[in-house]
Amino acid sequence: MPATVPETSLPSINSVPEVVNPIPADNPIGAILLSKRHPLLLRADFSRVSELVSQIYLSTQFQPIWFTANRSEKNLNDLLSILNNASNDALNPANYDVDRLKQLINEPNPDSAAVAGYDVALTVSMARYLHDLRHGQVDPRDVEYPVHIAPKPALDLAGLLKQHLAAQTLTEVVGQFEPKTKQYQQLKQIFTRLQQLGNQTGAQEFKPGKMLRPGDKHPHIVHLRQRLRDMALLDNNNAADSKTYDNDLVAAVKKVQQQQGLTADGVIGSATAALFNQSSSEKIAQIALAMERARWIPDTTDGPMIVVNIPAFELWAFNSVDDPNPLNMKVVVGKSPSNQTPVLWEEMKYLEFMPYWNIPKTIYEKEILPKAANNQGYLASQEIELVRHQNSEEKGGGSYLRARQRPGKKNPLGRVKFVFPNTADVYLHDTPGHAAFNRPRRDLSHGCVRVSAPEQLAEFVLGDQAGWDKESIKQAMSAPKTRHVTLKRAVPVLFYYGTTFVDHQNQLRFYPDVYGQDEQLKKALDKIHAPTTASSTANNQIVMSKSTDVGTNP
């Protein structure tokens, strides 16, 4: 036991030092920062970036950075140019008050209080844009579907802004905040191209008006052929003016049907025809959602990586960012809507060959226990055993009975599982039942991801690890005992939800929104989007700020 400390040595309540806020309330800039609201902006509440903005002014001792005695017109023009070009990254310039800032910059002879308000308005808009560009407009942890991705580390905005303002190279700061992932850059290129092309629907819509079967003739077949060429599913050698639904067209249509979760029979009904009538504006809107999701992904480094695109029901394993021939296989993901596979980013740490299945409590109680109650020998027939599990001291100690299934042909994890510790307790694994991989829609699991080619995935993961080759992996996957293999080099794993996704051949793919997450993301974005026109009250506040102390009217 520690020695008793005399009461006289304990500090009194009155002697506890008072925490001093470094932001001065009697300073016009400080008053705005403390309020975390700005009356000159369409979205007055800037609490999401208030810490970033405060750090910027802390480094200047709460003095203006834009409206200085030797103000730089180049920096001001660069700021407006950056925000005007936000649309290049599928961001809305109106959300960053571009028109309002132009007014503030051109205001003649503002007094000191007005200057403070104007200066903070510019800084808040810049911080908002750079934050949205790097992290996304929506925090993925705030949406209503499972996301297990830690926030990206923050960049030193205060230091970078000070550096680029001094050098008058403000436009260069954008590249430091823009996502570096290949997926984001590919989406951005396609987004820009579609914006330049504009909306191309109308005169050449593919609306056959009836069901088309292989071999049928129809004048709109020429429009279908062009759509398939635009999607890079048909080469230019196919006769452009033919009105016959020929074998090449049928094969291409089947690919699209399969991607969209439709029966891949090549028959064009109303659902299939609709796939080829998506306008450029509709595609642009979908790509904008994909770019928002891509901002959530941590910047990747070169090296092995595994990506599961949930709505595509596919896995890709890359040896490097520019790997031209990644490993690709079908997967089964969590069932919609009750057992959604989460979006996550973790590192694979180890493999287990011939694993036990530690049966989750909910599955045991809802699915297994009722069967065991009606059949005394059910647990033994399924090679399920009850084992006592000891809790750690951190969890309060004690023990409880846990159900687990022994390795073997009846084990749903199959012969190998790939583990990347995560709070959702999901992983990649083999399966004894491969018939499900033949289905076009494969959301069938409790949340984990079943892989169709486990041996190849094991070879990929253990590719640079001594002592492991095809034969040793095959032996481990048929051994009588469980074998735990720690990876010498952790492999990043991304579970991604991309209804719009650019594959390794740089082709844009559209997939069914199996979990309805596109609509949820749209709603979240709609909540934060600023109105496109200012209110009369906001306009009046610009005038008021010239004669009213900003600190007393935030």
Coordinates of all heavy atoms in Angstrom, one line a residue, residues 470-552:
K470 N 3.5 -23.1 -53.2 CA 2.2 -23.7 -53.5 C 2.0 -25.0 -52.7 O 0.9 -25.3 -52.2 CB 2.0 -23.9 -55.0 CG 1.8 -22.6 -55.8 CD 1.6 -23.0 -57.2 CE 1.3 -21.7 -58.0 NZ 1.0 -22.0 -59.5
E471 N 3.0 -25.8 -52.7 CA 2.9 -27.1 -52.1 C 2.7 -27.1 -50.6 O 1.9 -27.8 -50.0 CB 4.1 -28.0 -52.5 CG 4.1 -29.4 -52.0 CD 2.9 -30.2 -52.6 OE1 2.5 -29.9 -53.8 OE2 2.3 -31.0 -51.9
S472 N 3.5 -26.2 -49.9 CA 3.4 -26.1 -48.5 C 2.1 -25.5 -48.1 O 1.5 -25.9 -47.0 CB 4.6 -25.2 -47.9 OG 4.6 -24.0 -48.5
I473 N 1.6 -24.6 -48.9 CA 0.2 -24.0 -48.6 C -0.8 -25.1 -48.8 O -1.8 -25.2 -47.9 CB 0.0 -22.8 -49.5 CG1 0.9 -21.6 -49.1 CG2 -1.5 -22.4 -49.5 CD1 0.8 -20.5 -50.1
K474 N -0.7 -25.9 -49.8 CA -1.7 -27.0 -50.0 C -1.7 -28.0 -48.9 O -2.7 -28.4 -48.4 CB -1.3 -27.7 -51.4 CG -2.4 -28.7 -51.8 CD -2.0 -29.2 -53.2 CE -3.0 -30.3 -53.6 NZ -2.7 -30.8 -55.0
Q475 N -0.5 -28.3 -48.4 CA -0.4 -29.2 -47.3 C -1.0 -28.6 -46.0 O -1.7 -29.3 -45.3 CB 1.1 -29.6 -47.0 CG 1.7 -30.4 -48.1 CD 3.2 -30.7 -47.9 OE1 3.8 -30.2 -46.9 NE2 3.8 -31.4 -48.8
A476 N -0.8 -27.3 -45.8 CA -1.3 -26.7 -44.6 C -2.8 -26.6 -44.6 O -3.5 -26.7 -43.6 CB -0.7 -25.3 -44.4
M477 N -3.4 -26.6 -45.8 CA -4.8 -26.5 -46.0 C -5.5 -27.8 -46.0 O -6.7 -27.9 -46.1 CB -5.2 -25.8 -47.3 CG -4.8 -24.3 -47.3 SD -5.2 -23.4 -48.8 CE -7.0 -23.3 -48.8
S478 N -4.8 -28.9 -45.7 CA -5.3 -30.2 -45.6 C -4.8 -30.9 -44.4 O -5.0 -32.1 -44.2 CB -5.1 -31.0 -46.8 OG -3.7 -31.2 -47.1
A479 N -4.1 -30.2 -43.5 CA -3.5 -30.8 -42.3 C -4.5 -31.1 -41.3 O -5.6 -30.4 -41.2 CB -2.4 -29.9 -41.8
P480 N -4.3 -32.0 -40.3 CA -5.3 -32.3 -39.3 C -5.3 -31.3 -38.2 O -6.3 -31.2 -37.4 CB -4.8 -33.6 -38.8 CG -3.3 -33.7 -39.0 CD -3.1 -32.9 -40.3
K481 N -4.3 -30.4 -38.1 CA -4.3 -29.5 -37.0 C -4.3 -28.0 -37.5 O -3.8 -27.7 -38.6 CB -3.0 -29.7 -36.1 CG -3.1 -31.0 -35.3 CD -1.9 -31.1 -34.4 CE -1.9 -32.4 -33.6 NZ -0.7 -32.5 -32.7
T482 N -4.7 -27.1 -36.6 CA -4.7 -25.7 -36.9 C -3.3 -25.2 -36.9 O -2.5 -25.6 -36.0 CB -5.5 -24.9 -35.9 OG1 -6.9 -25.4 -35.9 CG2 -5.5 -23.4 -36.2
R483 N -2.9 -24.3 -37.8 CA -1.6 -23.7 -37.9 C -1.7 -22.2 -38.0 O -2.4 -21.7 -39.0 CB -0.8 -24.3 -39.1 CG 0.6 -23.8 -39.1 CD 1.5 -24.6 -40.0 NE 2.8 -24.1 -40.0 CZ 3.8 -24.6 -40.8 NH1 3.5 -25.6 -41.7 NH2 5.0 -24.2 -40.8
H484 N -1.1 -21.5 -37.1 CA -1.1 -20.0 -37.1 C 0.2 -19.5 -37.7 O 1.3 -19.9 -37.3 CB -1.2 -19.6 -35.6 CG -1.3 -18.1 -35.5 ND1 -2.4 -17.4 -35.1 CD2 -0.3 -17.1 -35.6 CE1 -2.2 -16.1 -35.0 NE2 -0.9 -15.9 -35.3
V485 N 0.0 -18.7 -38.8 CA 1.2 -18.1 -39.5 C 1.2 -16.6 -39.4 O 0.3 -16.0 -40.0 CB 1.2 -18.6 -40.9 CG1 2.5 -18.0 -41.6 CG2 1.1 -20.1 -41.1
T486 N 2.1 -16.1 -38.6 CA 2.3 -14.6 -38.5 C 3.0 -14.1 -39.8 O 4.0 -14.6 -40.2 CB 3.0 -14.2 -37.3 OG1 2.4 -14.7 -36.1 CG2 3.2 -12.7 -37.1
L487 N 2.4 -13.0 -40.3 CA 3.0 -12.4 -41.5 C 4.2 -11.5 -41.1 O 4.1 -10.7 -40.2 CB 2.0 -11.5 -42.3 CG 0.8 -12.2 -42.8 CD1 -0.1 -11.2 -43.5 CD2 1.2 -13.4 -43.7
K488 N 5.3 -11.7 -41.8 CA 6.5 -10.9 -41.5 C 6.3 -9.4 -42.0 O 6.8 -8.5 -41.4 CB 7.7 -11.4 -42.2 CG 8.2 -12.8 -41.6 CD 9.4 -13.3 -42.3 CE 9.9 -14.6 -41.7 NZ 11.1 -15.2 -42.3
R489 N 5.4 -9.3 -43.0 CA 5.0 -7.9 -43.5 C 3.5 -7.8 -43.6 O 2.9 -8.6 -44.3 CB 5.7 -7.7 -44.9 CG 5.3 -6.3 -45.4 CD 5.9 -6.1 -46.8 NE 5.6 -4.8 -47.4 CZ 6.0 -4.4 -48.6 NH1 6.6 -5.2 -49.4 NH2 5.6 -3.2 -49.0
A490 N 2.9 -7.0 -42.7 CA 1.5 -6.8 -42.7 C 1.0 -6.3 -44.1 O 1.7 -5.5 -44.8 CB 1.1 -5.8 -41.6
V491 N -0.2 -6.8 -44.5 CA -0.7 -6.4 -45.8 C -2.0 -5.6 -45.5 O -2.9 -6.0 -44.9 CB -1.1 -7.7 -46.6 CG1 -1.8 -7.3 -47.9 CG2 0.1 -8.5 -46.8
P492 N -2.0 -4.3 -46.1 CA -3.2 -3.5 -45.9 C -4.5 -4.2 -46.6 O -4.3 -4.7 -47.7 CB -2.9 -2.2 -46.6 CG -1.4 -2.2 -46.6 CD -1.0 -3.6 -46.8
V493 N -5.6 -4.1 -45.9 CA -6.8 -4.6 -46.4 C -7.9 -3.5 -46.4 O -8.1 -2.9 -45.4 CB -7.4 -5.8 -45.6 CG1 -8.7 -6.3 -46.1 CG2 -6.3 -6.9 -45.6
L494 N -8.5 -3.3 -47.6 CA -9.6 -2.3 -47.7 C -10.9 -3.0 -48.1 O -10.9 -3.6 -49.1 CB -9.2 -1.2 -48.7 CG -10.3 -0.2 -49.1 CD1 -10.7 0.7 -47.9 CD2 -9.9 0.6 -50.3
F495 N -11.9 -2.8 -47.2 CA -13.3 -3.2 -47.6 C -13.9 -1.9 -48.0 O -14.1 -1.0 -47.2 CB -14.0 -3.8 -46.4 CG -13.7 -5.2 -46.1 CD1 -12.7 -5.9 -46.8 CD2 -14.4 -5.9 -45.2 CE1 -12.3 -7.2 -46.5 CE2 -14.1 -7.2 -44.9 CZ -13.1 -7.9 -45.5
Y496 N -14.3 -1.8 -49.3 CA -14.7 -0.5 -49.9 C -16.1 -0.7 -50.5 O -16.5 -1.8 -50.9 CB -13.7 -0.2 -51.0 CG -13.9 1.1 -51.7 CD1 -13.7 2.3 -51.0 CD2 -14.3 1.2 -53.0 CE1 -13.9 3.6 -51.7 CE2 -14.5 2.4 -53.7 CZ -14.3 3.6 -53.0 OH -14.4 4.8 -53.6
Y497 N -16.9 0.4 -50.4 CA -18.2 0.3 -51.0 C -18.3 1.3 -52.1 O -18.4 2.5 -52.0 CB -19.3 0.8 -49.9 CG -20.7 0.4 -50.3 CD1 -21.2 -0.8 -50.0 CD2 -21.5 1.3 -51.1 CE1 -22.5 -1.2 -50.4 CE2 -22.7 1.0 -51.5 CZ -23.3 -0.2 -51.2 OH -24.5 -0.6 -51.6
G498 N -18.1 0.7 -53.3 CA -18.0 1.6 -54.5 C -19.0 1.1 -55.6 O -18.7 0.2 -56.3
T499 N -20.2 1.8 -55.6 CA -21.1 1.5 -56.7 C -20.6 2.0 -58.0 O -21.0 1.5 -59.1 CB -22.5 2.1 -56.4 OG1 -22.3 3.5 -56.1 CG2 -23.1 1.4 -55.2
T500 N -19.7 2.9 -58.0 CA -19.0 3.4 -59.2 C -17.5 3.2 -58.9 O -17.0 3.7 -57.9 CB -19.3 4.9 -59.4 OG1 -20.7 5.1 -59.4 CG2 -18.6 5.4 -60.7
F501 N -16.8 2.4 -59.7 CA -15.5 2.0 -59.4 C -14.7 1.9 -60.7 O -15.2 1.4 -61.7 CB -15.6 0.6 -58.7 CG -14.3 0.1 -58.1 CD1 -13.8 0.6 -56.9 CD2 -13.6 -0.9 -58.8 CE1 -12.6 0.1 -56.4 CE2 -12.4 -1.4 -58.3 CZ -11.9 -0.9 -57.1
V502 N -13.4 2.3 -60.6 CA -12.5 2.2 -61.8 C -11.6 1.0 -61.6 O -10.9 0.9 -60.6 CB -11.6 3.5 -61.9 CG1 -10.8 3.3 -63.2 CG2 -12.5 4.7 -62.0
D503 N -11.7 0.0 -62.5 CA -11.0 -1.2 -62.3 C -9.5 -1.0 -62.7 O -9.1 0.0 -63.1 CB -11.6 -2.4 -63.0 CG -11.6 -2.2 -64.5 OD1 -10.8 -1.4 -65.1 OD2 -12.4 -3.0 -65.2
H504 N -8.7 -2.1 -62.6 CA -7.3 -2.0 -62.9 C -7.0 -1.8 -64.4 O -5.9 -1.5 -64.7 CB -6.6 -3.3 -62.4 CG -7.0 -4.6 -63.2 ND1 -8.2 -5.2 -63.0 CD2 -6.4 -5.2 -64.2 CE1 -8.3 -6.3 -63.8 NE2 -7.2 -6.3 -64.5
Q505 N -8.0 -1.9 -65.2 CA -7.8 -1.6 -66.6 C -8.3 -0.2 -67.0 O -8.5 0.2 -68.1 CB -8.6 -2.6 -67.5 CG -8.0 -4.1 -67.4 CD -8.9 -5.1 -68.1 OE1 -10.1 -4.9 -68.3 NE2 -8.2 -6.1 -68.6
N506 N -8.5 0.6 -65.9 CA -8.9 2.0 -66.0 C -10.3 2.1 -66.7 O -10.6 3.1 -67.3 CB -7.9 2.8 -66.8 CG -8.0 4.3 -66.4 OD1 -8.3 4.6 -65.3 ND2 -7.7 5.2 -67.4
Q507 N -11.2 1.1 -66.5 CA -12.5 1.1 -67.0 C -13.5 1.5 -65.9 O -13.4 0.9 -64.8 CB -12.9 -0.2 -67.6 CG -12.0 -0.6 -68.8 CD -12.1 0.5 -69.9 OE1 -13.2 0.9 -70.2 NE2 -11.0 0.8 -70.5
L508 N -14.4 2.4 -66.1 CA -15.4 2.7 -65.1 C -16.5 1.7 -65.1 O -17.1 1.3 -66.1 CB -16.0 4.1 -65.5 CG -17.0 4.7 -64.5 CD1 -16.3 5.0 -63.2 CD2 -17.7 5.9 -65.1
R509 N -16.8 1.2 -63.9 CA -17.8 0.2 -63.7 C -18.9 0.7 -62.8 O -18.6 1.5 -61.8 CB -17.2 -1.1 -63.1 CG -16.1 -1.7 -63.9 CD -16.4 -2.1 -65.2 NE -15.3 -2.8 -65.9 CZ -15.3 -3.1 -67.2 NH1 -16.3 -2.8 -68.0 NH2 -14.3 -3.7 -67.7
F510 N -20.1 0.3 -63.0 CA -21.3 0.7 -62.1 C -21.8 -0.6 -61.6 O -22.0 -1.6 -62.3 CB -22.3 1.4 -62.9 CG -21.9 2.8 -63.4 CD1 -21.4 3.0 -64.7 CD2 -22.0 3.9 -62.6 CE1 -20.9 4.2 -65.1 CE2 -21.6 5.2 -63.0 CZ -21.0 5.3 -64.3
Y511 N -22.1 -0.6 -60.3 CA -22.6 -1.8 -59.6 C -23.8 -1.5 -58.8 O -24.1 -0.3 -58.5 CB -21.5 -2.3 -58.6 CG -20.2 -2.7 -59.3 CD1 -19.1 -1.9 -59.2 CD2 -20.1 -3.9 -60.1 CE1 -17.9 -2.3 -59.8 CE2 -19.0 -4.2 -60.7 CZ -17.8 -3.5 -60.6 OH -16.7 -3.8 -61.2
P512 N -24.7 -2.5 -58.5 CA -25.9 -2.2 -57.8 C -25.6 -1.8 -56.4 O -24.7 -2.2 -55.7 CB -26.6 -3.6 -57.8 CG -25.5 -4.6 -58.0 CD -24.5 -3.9 -58.9
D513 N -26.5 -0.9 -55.9 CA -26.4 -0.3 -54.6 C -27.0 -1.3 -53.6 O -28.1 -1.0 -53.1 CB -27.0 1.1 -54.5 CG -26.8 1.8 -53.2 OD1 -26.0 1.3 -52.4 OD2 -27.5 2.7 -52.9
V514 N -26.4 -2.4 -53.3 CA -27.0 -3.5 -52.6 C -27.4 -3.2 -51.2 O -28.3 -3.7 -50.6 CB -26.1 -4.8 -52.6 CG1 -26.0 -5.4 -53.9 CG2 -24.7 -4.5 -52.0
Y515 N -26.7 -2.2 -50.6 CA -27.0 -1.8 -49.2 C -27.7 -0.5 -49.1 O -28.0 0.0 -48.0 CB -25.7 -1.7 -48.4 CG -24.9 -3.0 -48.1 CD1 -23.6 -3.0 -47.6 CD2 -25.5 -4.2 -48.3 CE1 -22.9 -4.2 -47.4 CE2 -24.9 -5.4 -48.0 CZ -23.6 -5.4 -47.6 OH -22.9 -6.6 -47.3
G516 N -28.0 0.1 -50.2 CA -28.7 1.4 -50.2 C -27.9 2.5 -49.6 O -28.4 3.5 -49.2
Q517 N -26.6 2.4 -49.7 CA -25.7 3.4 -49.1 C -25.5 4.7 -49.9 O -25.2 5.7 -49.4 CB -24.3 2.8 -48.8 CG -24.4 1.7 -47.7 CD -23.0 1.2 -47.3 OE1 -22.0 1.7 -47.7 NE2 -23.0 0.2 -46.4
D518 N -25.8 4.6 -51.2 CA -25.7 5.8 -52.1 C -26.8 6.8 -51.6 O -26.5 8.0 -51.5 CB -26.0 5.4 -53.5 CG -24.7 4.9 -54.3 OD1 -23.7 4.9 -53.6 OD2 -24.8 4.6 -55.5
E519 N -28.0 6.3 -51.4 CA -29.0 7.2 -50.9 C -28.7 7.8 -49.6 O -29.0 9.0 -49.3 CB -30.4 6.5 -50.9 CG -31.6 7.4 -50.7 CD -31.7 8.4 -51.8 OE1 -31.4 8.1 -52.9 OE2 -32.2 9.6 -51.5
Q520 N -28.1 7.0 -48.7 CA -27.8 7.6 -47.3 C -26.7 8.6 -47.5 O -26.7 9.6 -46.8 CB -27.3 6.4 -46.5 CG -28.4 5.5 -46.0 CD -27.8 4.3 -45.2 OE1 -27.2 3.4 -45.8 NE2 -28.0 4.2 -44.0
L521 N -25.7 8.4 -48.3 CA -24.7 9.4 -48.5 C -25.2 10.7 -49.2 O -24.8 11.8 -48.8 CB -23.5 8.8 -49.4 CG -22.3 9.7 -49.6 CD1 -21.7 10.2 -48.3 CD2 -21.2 9.0 -50.4
K522 N -26.1 10.5 -50.1 CA -26.8 11.7 -50.7 C -27.4 12.6 -49.7 O -27.3 13.8 -49.7 CB -27.8 11.3 -51.8 CG -27.2 10.8 -53.1 CD -28.3 10.3 -54.0 CE -27.8 9.6 -55.2 NZ -28.9 9.0 -56.1
K523 N -28.2 11.9 -48.8 CA -28.9 12.6 -47.7 C -27.9 13.4 -46.8 O -28.1 14.5 -46.4 CB -29.8 11.7 -46.9 CG -31.0 11.2 -47.7 CD -31.8 10.2 -46.8 CE -33.0 9.7 -47.6 NZ -33.8 8.7 -46.8
A524 N -26.8 12.7 -46.5 CA -25.8 13.3 -45.6 C -25.2 14.5 -46.3 O -24.9 15.6 -45.6 CB -24.7 12.3 -45.2
L525 N -24.9 14.4 -47.6 CA -24.3 15.6 -48.3 C -25.3 16.7 -48.4 O -25.0 17.9 -48.3 CB -23.9 15.1 -49.7 CG -22.6 14.2 -49.7 CD1 -22.4 13.6 -51.1 CD2 -21.4 15.0 -49.4
D526 N -26.6 16.4 -48.7 CA -27.6 17.4 -48.8 C -27.7 18.2 -47.5 O -28.1 19.4 -47.6 CB -29.0 16.8 -49.1 CG -29.1 16.3 -50.5 OD1 -28.2 16.7 -51.3 OD2 -30.0 15.4 -50.8
K527 N -27.5 17.6 -46.4 CA -27.6 18.3 -45.1 C -26.6 19.4 -44.9 O -26.8 20.4 -44.3 CB -27.5 17.4 -43.9 CG -28.7 16.5 -43.7 CD -28.5 15.6 -42.5 CE -29.8 14.7 -42.3 NZ -29.6 13.8 -41.1
I528 N -25.4 19.2 -45.6 CA -24.3 20.2 -45.3 C -24.2 21.2 -46.5 O -23.4 22.2 -46.4 CB -23.0 19.5 -45.1 CG1 -22.6 18.7 -46.4 CG2 -23.0 18.6 -43.9 CD1 -21.1 18.2 -46.3
H529 N -24.8 20.9 -47.6 CA -24.7 21.8 -48.8 C -25.3 23.2 -48.5 O -26.4 23.3 -48.0 CB -25.3 21.2 -50.0 CG -24.5 20.2 -50.6 ND1 -24.9 19.3 -51.6 CD2 -23.2 19.8 -50.4 CE1 -23.9 18.5 -52.0 NE2 -22.9 18.8 -51.2
A530 N -24.6 24.2 -48.8 CA -25.0 25.6 -48.6 C -26.0 26.0 -49.7 O -26.0 25.4 -50.8 CB -23.8 26.5 -48.7
P531 N -26.9 26.9 -49.3 CA -27.8 27.4 -50.4 C -27.0 28.2 -51.4 O -25.9 28.7 -51.2 CB -28.7 28.4 -49.6 CG -28.0 28.8 -48.4 CD -27.1 27.6 -48.0
T532 N -27.6 28.3 -52.6 CA -26.8 28.9 -53.7 C -26.9 30.4 -53.8 O -26.2 31.1 -54.5 CB -27.3 28.3 -55.1 OG1 -28.7 28.6 -55.2 CG2 -27.0 26.8 -55.2
T533 N -27.9 31.0 -53.0 CA -28.0 32.4 -52.9 C -28.0 32.9 -51.5 O -28.5 32.2 -50.6 CB -29.3 32.9 -53.6 OG1 -30.4 32.2 -53.0 CG2 -29.3 32.5 -55.1
A534 N -27.5 34.1 -51.3 CA -27.4 34.6 -49.9 C -28.8 35.2 -49.5 O -29.5 35.6 -50.3 CB -26.3 35.7 -49.9
S535 N -29.0 35.1 -48.2 CA -30.3 35.7 -47.7 C -30.0 37.2 -47.6 O -28.9 37.7 -47.5 CB -30.6 35.1 -46.4 OG -29.7 35.4 -45.4
S536 N -31.2 38.0 -47.5 CA -31.0 39.4 -47.3 C -30.4 39.7 -46.0 O -29.7 40.7 -45.8 CB -32.4 40.1 -47.4 OG -33.3 39.5 -46.4
T537 N -30.7 38.9 -45.0 CA -30.1 39.1 -43.6 C -28.6 39.0 -43.7 O -27.8 39.8 -43.2 CB -30.6 38.0 -42.7 OG1 -32.0 38.1 -42.6 CG2 -30.0 38.3 -41.3
A538 N -28.1 38.0 -44.5 CA -26.6 37.9 -44.6 C -26.0 39.0 -45.3 O -24.9 39.5 -45.0 CB -26.3 36.6 -45.3
N539 N -26.7 39.5 -46.3 CA -26.2 40.7 -47.1 C -26.2 41.9 -46.1 O -25.2 42.7 -46.2 CB -27.1 41.0 -48.2 CG -26.9 40.1 -49.4 OD1 -25.7 39.7 -49.7 ND2 -27.9 39.7 -50.2
N540 N -27.2 42.1 -45.3 CA -27.2 43.2 -44.4 C -26.0 43.1 -43.4 O -25.5 44.1 -43.0 CB -28.5 43.2 -43.6 CG -29.7 43.7 -44.5 OD1 -29.4 44.3 -45.5 ND2 -30.9 43.3 -44.1
Q541 N -25.6 41.9 -43.0 CA -24.6 41.7 -42.1 C -23.2 42.2 -42.6 O -22.3 42.5 -41.9 CB -24.5 40.2 -41.6 CG -25.6 39.9 -40.7 CD -25.7 38.4 -40.4 OE1 -25.4 37.6 -41.2 NE2 -26.1 38.1 -39.2
I542 N -23.1 42.1 -43.9 CA -21.8 42.6 -44.5 C -21.7 44.1 -44.3 O -20.7 44.6 -43.9 CB -21.8 42.3 -46.0 CG1 -21.7 40.8 -46.3 CG2 -20.6 43.0 -46.7 CD1 -21.6 40.5 -47.8
V543 N -22.9 44.8 -44.5 CA -22.9 46.2 -44.2 C -22.7 46.5 -42.8 O -21.9 47.4 -42.4 CB -24.2 46.8 -44.7 CG1 -24.2 48.3 -44.4 CG2 -24.4 46.6 -46.2
M544 N -23.4 45.8 -41.9 CA -23.3 46.0 -40.5 C -21.9 45.8 -39.9 O -21.4 46.5 -39.0 CB -24.2 45.0 -39.7 CG -25.7 45.3 -39.9 SD -26.7 43.9 -39.3 CE -26.1 43.8 -37.6
S545 N -21.1 44.9 -40.6 CA -19.8 44.6 -40.0 C -18.8 45.8 -40.2 O -17.8 45.8 -39.5 CB -19.2 43.4 -40.8 OG -19.0 43.7 -42.1
K546 N -19.2 46.7 -41.1 CA -18.3 47.9 -41.2 C -18.3 48.8 -40.0 O -17.4 49.5 -39.7 CB -18.7 48.7 -42.5 CG -18.4 47.9 -43.8 CD -18.8 48.8 -44.9 CE -18.6 48.1 -46.3 NZ -18.9 49.0 -47.4
S547 N -19.5 48.8 -39.3 CA -19.6 49.8 -38.2 C -19.9 49.1 -36.9 O -20.0 49.8 -35.9 CB -20.8 50.7 -38.5 OG -22.0 49.9 -38.8
T548 N -20.0 47.8 -36.9 CA -20.2 47.0 -35.7 C -19.0 46.2 -35.3 O -18.4 45.6 -36.1 CB -21.5 46.1 -35.8 OG1 -22.5 46.9 -36.3 CG2 -21.8 45.4 -34.5
D549 N -18.7 46.2 -34.0 CA -17.6 45.4 -33.5 C -17.9 43.9 -33.7 O -18.8 43.4 -33.3 CB -17.4 45.7 -32.0 CG -16.2 45.0 -31.4 OD1 -15.5 44.3 -32.2 OD2 -16.0 45.1 -30.2
V550 N -17.0 43.3 -34.5 CA -17.2 41.9 -34.8 C -17.2 41.0 -33.6 O -17.9 40.1 -33.5 CB -16.1 41.4 -35.8 CG1 -16.2 39.9 -36.1 CG2 -16.1 42.2 -37.1
G551 N -16.5 41.4 -32.6 CA -16.4 40.6 -31.4 C -17.7 40.6 -30.6 O -18.0 39.6 -29.9
T552 N -18.5 41.6 -30.7 CA -19.8 41.6 -30.0 C -21.0 41.2 -30.8 O -22.1 41.1 -30.4 CB -20.1 43.0 -29.4 OG1 -20.2 43.9 -30.5 CG2 -19.0 43.5 -28.5

